[in-house]
């Protein structure tokens, strides 16, 4: 088929709507922009055709002619069929340009008239196809799009390859896709490259991450699925988008959710992909595969212990059919794809499954696995089975596997007789609390709501309400109606009241913005918990009280932290993100004790990872990122912030707060556009959740991003809101948000020095009272800028020099570099670019890339007097692409921006710049900017 430049195609897939393929598209675009060809490969259902269509849609407009073919397995035996698809509609346009023998051979092959074969007309046909492509390319760029190369008939493949290898510099690009094996290491695409030009780039379409699968399901309308279900879909699909969508559809259409321990429902459409191969196995081999699919970590030894005496022979037969994959490390048995295991299990009858689990309940060496298999082999209630499951859940929790513990407790509840202790609901509530620890908040909430639907006992009901409130996270407004019900259920019982009062402290902070009230509620909760002998709740309440006192600048904060850290301690509270350890970490960061803060948060992070405490992990990775940011380790901070953001998005925990910290890290060491987008997201989420505490932090991040981007008016607008919010909240410690210096600096930039001085004076009083040395140094830096704006340059230089030295001693590397940058603009003893050497060095040491670009640009704008070389003369020595890249650098574009505007990769931009430096005899992009400045001044 052919598509010419004036042909309007129907709606086509857009690459910006294809999930998780950004790097793939960047590499393919760079190759196609250079005039090269691309082969997209990957297993069935992975999205090759989607990628192919999106790329073809992008580049079709730049081609005069587009030829397309898409083969099918059923037609792969028909010779010249793909060739007919490609050239059938354009043969009349090019036939006159072909010599008679070539024209006759080609027409015979395309029409089926005559006896044309490769054996008889081989050379004439080969030359005819080559000539046809050359004739089309002579009229304008030619794009050849071929999907499912694996089904192309052999004759068409041979002819296509012959022509592709001889097109040379003709403007012909090929864009093809081929199905390869599931294993990335399998280079199944290699022999298909013979049908494409020699320099073709092969790009593999890889599996989607769990977050990307969740996004895909959401876009297709499967938005009500619990996160635990999305996790199971991702695991079973192996990240394959087609499989994930089919599993999501089956789960959404299934009226009853799978019971604990049961796999996802596998629709017939997916079972059919593997069942025909399974059907080729003998019955005993199929039973062996069923036992393997039921086991968590199947091995040959486990299968033999489970009664499968011929396991080696039977698994070898399954491997020969592609059902099992070789295990490279250890003796394990691995299915070639998780879907195969799920299909084997789904196809078995309930009796067959129970028999497999019964065999594994005695064969498995791990007590947790034995208990799980025993439960799945048992029907009805059984107190002994329930007790073993409860013990297994405790063991899983101690191993740091709270998600496993939650599943085991749900199984225990199912097998617990109603009149035993602990009862079914008590086990369900333990499962809900384990799910919270594992970050599965929706599962926890659903379990708690189920218990509340039938429980009458005050203890169970209050415990369930606490799960519902905790599952809401920062969005406490969604559960505000719960508190009166929880208080009513608690009655006068001190232990139950302590639980509710502790949550009321959070409500006062997050919903009402009342720190003083939150402190009072926390103190009441601690007192009630102490009376009831509930040390865990007492410790949490004391830690919250300490946090409030810290933010309020209250003098009792150190004493409260000490109370919260006294023995006896609860090990889980000690490392909880709401515990005393976290409160102490925050105190250390605010007090400029960065080394000790890093040691503290690193130890906490190590412990919560060991325990599988996902929510605390999100908080502590974020806290470590913030610590590294304060220390000026911007690259490390950016890596940690992005890691925390991935984890937050994956679990749905703390997304607003994590977006806020990641925005700060992007503004310091990454991408400014991303910094602004994340800060806006954090503001929107905090406003949606009515979370005033994080709203002020999010607005602070937004204001900072605007400042780094050079938009002082927007910075002032955002940070004025922060000032108003914090005054109303009662936040008096300026080390909490550290926005004050940014606001003062931005006010100076927009010509409001009086308001800037008011911010500085007010904040300085509070910082002096609390001993916040780094805040005082940053305020001095801002005040120096105000003095310079008033013309008092000498005093400004002295104040900036002092501020820079103090920030260096405190270990605030980025703030030190910012002081050096401000100082460079005022230096009269070292004119020209040399004035910025110190700032450039410090920003480079911090890997503060946005700030580094500013400093380099400022240095370039103040060139030393040298013999001018005009930009036009220098650019004449460059190739076309090199000139384009250099011109964009002169405009101030970043490498990423250049890549986007020229449709090439960032790596290509970097390589091109290296050539530019060599040809112009310069060292960096700063020299290019200087060249541009010299050209303009000349």
């Amino acid at each position: 088929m052919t598509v010419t430049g004036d042909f309007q195609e129907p709606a086509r897939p857009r690459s910006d709507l294809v999930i998780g393929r950004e790097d793939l598209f960047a590499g393919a675009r760079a190759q196609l922009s250079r005039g090269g060809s691309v082969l997209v490969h990957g297993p069935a259902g992975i999205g090759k055709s989607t990628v192919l269509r999106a790329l073809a849609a992008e580049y079709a407009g730049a081609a005069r002619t587009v030829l397309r073919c898409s083969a099918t397995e059923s037609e792969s035996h028909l010779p010249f069929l793909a060739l007919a698809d490609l050239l059938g509609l354009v043969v009349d346009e090019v036939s006159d340009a072909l010599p008679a023998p070539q024209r006759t051979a080609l027409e015979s092959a395309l029409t089926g008239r005559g006896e044309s074969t490769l054996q008889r007309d081989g050379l004439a046909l080969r030359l005819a196809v080559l000539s046809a492509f050359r004739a089309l390319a002579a009229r304008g760029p030619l794009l050849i799009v071929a999907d499912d190369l694996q089904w192309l008939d052999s004759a068409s493949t041979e002819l296509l390859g012959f022509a592709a290898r001889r097109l040379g510099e003709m403007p012909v690009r090929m864009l093809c896709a081929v199905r390869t094996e599931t294993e990335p290491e399998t280079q199944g695409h290699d022999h298909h490259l013979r049908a494409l030009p020699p320099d073709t780039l092969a790009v593999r379409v890889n599996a989607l991450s769990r977050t990307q699968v969740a996004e895909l399901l959401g876009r297709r309308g499967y938005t009500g699925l619990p996160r635990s279900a999305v996790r199971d879909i991702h695991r079973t699909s192996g990240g394959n988008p087609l499989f994930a969508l089919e599993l999501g559809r089956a789960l959404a259409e299934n009226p009853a959710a799978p019971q604990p321990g049961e796999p996802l429902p596998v629709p017939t459409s997916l079972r059919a992909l593997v069942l025909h191969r399974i059907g080729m196995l003998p019955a005993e081999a199929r039973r062996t595969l069923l036992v393997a699919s039921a086991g968590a970590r199947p091995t040959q030894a486990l299968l033999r212990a489970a009664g499968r005496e011929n396991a080696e022979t039977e698994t070898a037969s399954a491997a020969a059919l592609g059902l099992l994959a070789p295990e490279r490390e250890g003796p394990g048995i691995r299915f070639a794809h998780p879907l195969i295991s799920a299909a084997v299990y789904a196809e078995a009858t309930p009796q067959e499954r129970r028999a497999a689990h019964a065999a594994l309940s005695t064969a498995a060496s791990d007590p947790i696995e034995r208990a799980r298999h025993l439960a799945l082999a048992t029907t009805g209630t059984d107190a002994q089975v329930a007790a073993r499951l409860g013990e297994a859940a405790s063991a899983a929790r101690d191993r740091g596997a709270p998600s496993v513990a939650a599943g085991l407790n749900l199984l225990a509840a199912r097998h617990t007789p109603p009149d035993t202790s602990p009862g079914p609901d008590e086990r369900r509530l333990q499962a809900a609390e384990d799910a919270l620890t594992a970050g599965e908040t929706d599962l926890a909430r659903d379990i708690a709501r189920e218990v509340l639907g039938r429980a009458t006992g005050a203890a169970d009901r209050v415990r369930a309400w606490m799960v519902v409130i905790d599952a809401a996270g920062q969005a406490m407004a969604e559960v505000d109606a719960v508190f009166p019900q929880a208080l009513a259920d608690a009655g006068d019982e001190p232990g139950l009241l302590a639980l509710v009062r502790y949550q009321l402290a959070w409500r006062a902070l997050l919903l009402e913005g009342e720190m003083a009230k939150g402190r009072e509620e926390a103190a009441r909760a601690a007192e009630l918990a102490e009376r009831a002998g509930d040390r865990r709740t007492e410790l949490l309440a004391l830690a919250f009280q300490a946090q409030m006192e810290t933010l309020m600048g209250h003098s009792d904060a150190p004493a409260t932290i000490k109370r919260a850290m006294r023995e006896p301690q609860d090990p889980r509270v000690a490392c909880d993100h709401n515990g005393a350890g976290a409160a102490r970490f925050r105190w250390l960061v605010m007090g400029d004790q960065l080394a000790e803060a890093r040691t503290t948060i690193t130890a906490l992070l190590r412990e919560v990872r060991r325990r599988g405490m996902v929510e605390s992990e999100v908080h502590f990775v974020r806290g470590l990122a913030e610590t590294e940011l304060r220390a000026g380790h911007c690259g490390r901070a950016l890596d940690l912030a992005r890691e925390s953001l991935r984890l937050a998005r994956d679990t749905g925990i703390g997304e607003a707060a994590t977006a806020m910290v990641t925005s700060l890290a992007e503004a310091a060491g990454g991408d400014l556009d991303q910094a602004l987008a994340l800060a806006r997201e954090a503001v929107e989420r905090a406003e949606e959740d009515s979370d005033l505490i994080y709203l002020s932090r999010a607005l602070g991040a937004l204001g900072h991003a605007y400042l780094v981007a050079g938009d002082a008016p927007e910075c002032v607008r955002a940070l004025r809101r922060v000032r108003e919010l914090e005054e109303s909240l009662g936040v008096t410690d300026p080390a909490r948000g550290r926005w004050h210096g940014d606001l003062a600096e931005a006010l100076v930039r927009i010509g409001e020095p009086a308001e800037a001085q008011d911010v500085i004076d007010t904040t300085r009083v509070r910082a002096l009272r609390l001993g916040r040395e780094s805040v005082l140094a940053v305020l001095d830096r801002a005040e120096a800028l105000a003095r310079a704006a008033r013309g008092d340059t000498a005093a400004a230089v002295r104040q900036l020099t002092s501020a820079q030295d103090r920030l260096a001693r405190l270990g605030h590397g980025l703030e030190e570099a910012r002081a050096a940058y401000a100082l460079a603009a005022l230096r009269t003893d070292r004119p020209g670019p040399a004035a910025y050497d110190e700032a450039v060095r410090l920003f480079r040491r911090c890997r503060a890339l946005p700030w580094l670009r500013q400093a380099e640009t400022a240095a370039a704008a103040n060139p030393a007097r040298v013999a001018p070389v005009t930009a036009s003369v220098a650019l004449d020595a460059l190739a076309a692409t090199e000139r384009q890249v250099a011109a964009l650098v002169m405009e101030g574009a970043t490498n990423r921006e250049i890549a986007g505007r020229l449709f090439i990769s960032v790596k290509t931009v970097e390589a091109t710049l290296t050539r530019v430096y060599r040809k112009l005899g310069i060292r960096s992009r700063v020299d290019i900017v200087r060249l541009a400045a010299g050209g303009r001044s000349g």
Side-chain angles (χ1 to χ4, degrees), residues 58 152 171 193 253 397 462 583 593 603 654-655 687 714 805 879:
E58 283 188 26
L152 253 65
L193 286 170
E253 293 175 355
R397 194 178 306 113
V462 171
Q593 300 178 59
E655 291 184 76
E687 288 177 334
E714 286 299 329
D805 290 343

Side-chain angles (χ1 to χ4, degrees), residues 65-102:
T65 307
V66 180
L67 306 179
R68 300 176 187 267
C69 71
S70 181
T72 64
E73 184 176 11
S74 63
E75 298 171 337
S76 60
H77 65 287
L78 300 173
F80 307 121
L81 186 61
L83 186 67
D85 285 341
L86 289 171
L87 294 175
L89 296 180
V90 296
V91 65
D92 292 341
E93 298 178 27
V94 299
S95 60
D96 291 344
L98 304 182
Q102 294 180 24

Side-chain angles (χ1 to χ4, degrees), residues 758-780:
D758 178 62
V759 171
I760 292 166
D761 292 342
T762 303
T763 309
R764 183 177 280 136
V765 171
R766 294 171 177 175
L768 282 167
R769 179 173 63 83
L770 296 169
R772 302 306 192 212
E773 290 298 326
S774 64
V775 174
L776 289 167
V778 168
L779 291 173
D780 281 353

Side-chain angles (χ1 to χ4, degrees), residues 399-744:
R399 290 185 191 178
S403 180
V404 174
L408 291 167
N409 269 313
L410 286 174
L411 283 171
R414 192 168 73 180
H415 291 290
T416 299
D419 298 325
T420 57
S421 182
D425 282 343
E426 189 172 350
R427 293 195 187 279
R428 290 187 182 93
L429 288 171
Q430 181 61 65
E433 290 163 358
D434 286 329
L436 279 178
T437 301
E440 298 180 12
T441 53
D442 49 359
L443 175 61
R445 181 178 54 249
D446 291 346
I447 295 170
R449 291 287 188 186
E450 179 189 351
V451 171
L452 285 166
R454 61 170 172 268
T456 56
D460 282 352
R461 290 187 63 79
V462 171
R463 191 174 170 189
W465 288 127
M466 296 305 99
V467 171
V468 170
I469 294 169
D470 279 333
Q474 303 295 127
M476 195 165 276
E478 296 178 0
V479 294
D480 198 27
V482 161
F483 288 98
Q485 301 174 68
L487 280 170
D489 284 331
D492 297 326
E493 173 59 41
L496 299 181
L497 276 174
L499 292 171
V500 182
R501 288 292 171 195
Y502 172 66
Q503 296 290 3
L504 283 169
W506 280 104
R507 181 187 180 280
L509 174 67
L510 297 178
L511 289 189
E512 300 178 33
E514 294 282 352
M515 285 191 176
K517 184 176 178 181
R519 174 178 177 267
E520 293 170 7
E521 288 285 9
R524 290 177 66 186
E527 179 187 350
L528 287 163
E530 185 180 18
R531 282 169 48 196
D534 181 357
R535 182 63 172 160
R536 179 181 184 278
T537 303
E538 181 188 4
L539 289 170
L540 287 169
L542 286 171
F544 182 91
Q545 183 182 341
Q547 289 271 31
M548 294 304 97
E549 290 170 350
T550 298
L551 294 174
M552 295 165 63
H554 199 289
S555 58
D556 287 350
T560 307
I561 291 175
K562 287 182 181 178
R563 283 180 62 200
M565 299 194 75
R566 287 178 192 154
E567 297 295 338
Q569 286 288 319
D570 182 308
R572 296 185 68 80
V573 174
C575 64
D576 189 272
H577 60 283
N578 289 322
R584 180 172 177 271
F585 159 73
R586 179 55 54 192
W587 176 263
L588 291 169
V589 170
M590 294 174 70
D592 299 322
Q593 300 178 59
L594 297 181
E596 191 174 355
R598 184 185 295 109
T599 301
T600 299
I601 195 74
T602 301
L604 288 168
L605 180 58
R606 186 184 307 115
E607 182 63 14
V608 298
R609 280 175 169 165
R610 186 185 73 79
R611 292 178 175 272
M613 299 169 67
V614 175
E615 183 172 6
S616 293
E617 181 182 358
V618 173
H619 281 261
F620 292 151
V621 174
R622 190 170 71 218
L624 184 55
E626 189 175 351
T627 306
E628 299 295 356
L629 196 56
R630 295 279 169 247
H633 304 153
C634 299
R636 171 71 172 148
L638 184 59
D639 290 342
L640 286 164
R642 287 172 174 172
E643 177 188 345
S644 69
L645 187 62
R646 284 193 296 270
L647 189 58
R649 297 220 193 284
D650 196 26
T651 60
I653 294 172
E655 291 184 76
T658 308
M660 176 269 298
V661 169
T662 309
S663 169
L664 292 171
E666 291 283 359
D671 183 276
L672 274 179
D673 289 339
Q674 187 70 0
L676 287 165
L678 286 168
R680 292 186 188 107
E681 176 191 336
V683 169
E684 290 171 7
R685 284 181 176 273
E687 288 177 334
E688 288 172 4
D689 295 342
S690 301
D691 184 345
L692 298 178
I693 290 295
Y694 271 112
L695 177 58
S696 68
R697 293 294 308 273
L699 285 166
L702 182 61
H704 180 74
Y706 277 128
L707 180 72
V708 182
D711 193 339
E714 286 299 329
C715 172
V716 168
R717 186 174 291 109
L719 295 185
R720 277 174 175 164
R721 282 189 67 193
V722 178
R723 191 181 189 191
E724 294 169 3
L725 266 173
E726 291 205 349
E727 289 295 332
S728 66
L729 290 168
V731 177
T732 60
D733 193 332
R736 185 250 182 178
R738 298 179 182 266
W739 49 267
H740 315 75
D742 285 349
L743 176 56

